[in-house]
Amino acid sequence: MHDHDHEPGALEFRVQALESLLAERGYVDPEAMDRLIETYEHEVGPHNGAQVVARAWTDPAYKARLLSDGSAAIAELGFTGRQGEHMVVVENTPEVHNLVVCTLCSCYPWPVLGLPPVWYKAPPYRARAVIEPRAVLAEFGMEVGDDVEVRVWDSTAEIRYLVLPEQPAGTEGWDAAALAGLVTRDAMIGTGLAAAP
């Protein structure tokens, strides 16, 4: 289900065909589309969420605000906008691992995570994450111990979730900029962990 080095699937080919058709007919400017994608991948994308997480790891007062009112705390860093209005942040601990899914469609917090990955919108992920989350996590390379509770959070149009991953061991005392480089998009969805130093 989750393969970083995959061949484009049927959905990706359809999207490429649709983009080509829209460009040929003059409905879409390919350069504008490239700029939009570039913005979401490199400026808006998971880099924003990584800054939120790193700030929480280095500032206990901010972390408390983030867990209490995710929307307001995220807005403190200037990350607001459509699809990010009602944010709830859930914290991973040694006892609890959180996983985010949207079973009805693909509600996703764009201001902090950027463009949703293809697998997030795929029906197998959306269905199986709720029914068999441990199996899904294993497919992402995550073995979660039987002593760890797995909580699945279903995003909706009203509420979107962001996972606050555990800070990697050995990074105590690091500054927020260095820590942000360890935070992955998958860690903020719950299908991965923050990178080890």
Side-chain angles (χ1 to χ4, degrees):
M1 176 176 63
H2 181 64
D3 184 5
H4 290 286
D5 300 316
H6 70 284
E7 292 293 318
L11 178 62
E12 289 163 284
F13 283 124
R14 286 190 302 215
V15 168
Q16 290 171 358
L18 180 59
E19 285 178 11
S20 295
L21 182 63
L22 291 171
E24 283 175 21
R25 297 200 177 166
Y27 295 120
V28 174
D29 176 4
E31 288 182 28
M33 182 68 80
D34 288 345
R35 279 194 306 273
L36 179 65
I37 291 169
E38 181 76 17
T39 297
Y40 271 94
E41 286 182 347
H42 299 287
E43 294 173 32
V44 176
H47 313 287
N48 293 352
Q51 291 178 50
V52 170
V53 169
R55 172 82 181 269
W57 286 345
T58 58
D59 181 345
Y62 179 78
K63 178 180 176 180
R65 292 192 306 277
L66 183 66
L67 295 173
S68 173
D69 184 347
S71 299
I74 291 168
E76 285 179 34
L77 300 184
F79 307 135
T80 61
R82 202 163 140 74
Q83 307 289 327
E85 300 92 343
H86 307 287
M87 294 292 303
V88 172
V89 178
V90 293
E91 181 181 17
N92 281 353
T93 68
E95 297 80 28
V96 176
H97 183 84
N98 296 285
L99 177 64
V100 179
V101 65
C102 179
T103 57
L104 294 178
C105 54
S106 57
C107 292
Y108 189 78
W110 288 50
V112 288
L113 294 184
L115 298 172
V118 172
W119 56 261
Y120 185 84
K121 300 181 283 183
Y125 175 77
R126 291 171 28 210
R128 293 183 56 236
V130 173
I131 297 167
E132 49 184 356
R134 288 179 189 278
V136 169
L137 289 172
E139 291 173 15
F140 279 87
M142 291 191 60
E143 296 298 329
V144 179
D146 292 336
D147 59 334
V148 176
E149 177 186 355
V150 176
R151 294 181 185 162
V152 179
W153 301 90
D154 194 357
S155 289
T156 67
E158 289 78 33
I159 298 175
R160 287 175 178 80
Y161 295 93
L162 178 73
V163 173
L164 176 59
E166 290 184 83
Q167 183 174 343
T171 62
E172 299 77 13
W174 287 27
D175 67 20
L179 287 169
L182 302 177
V183 182
T184 65
R185 177 203 61 209
D186 289 4
M188 294 181 283
I189 296 172
T191 55
L193 301 173

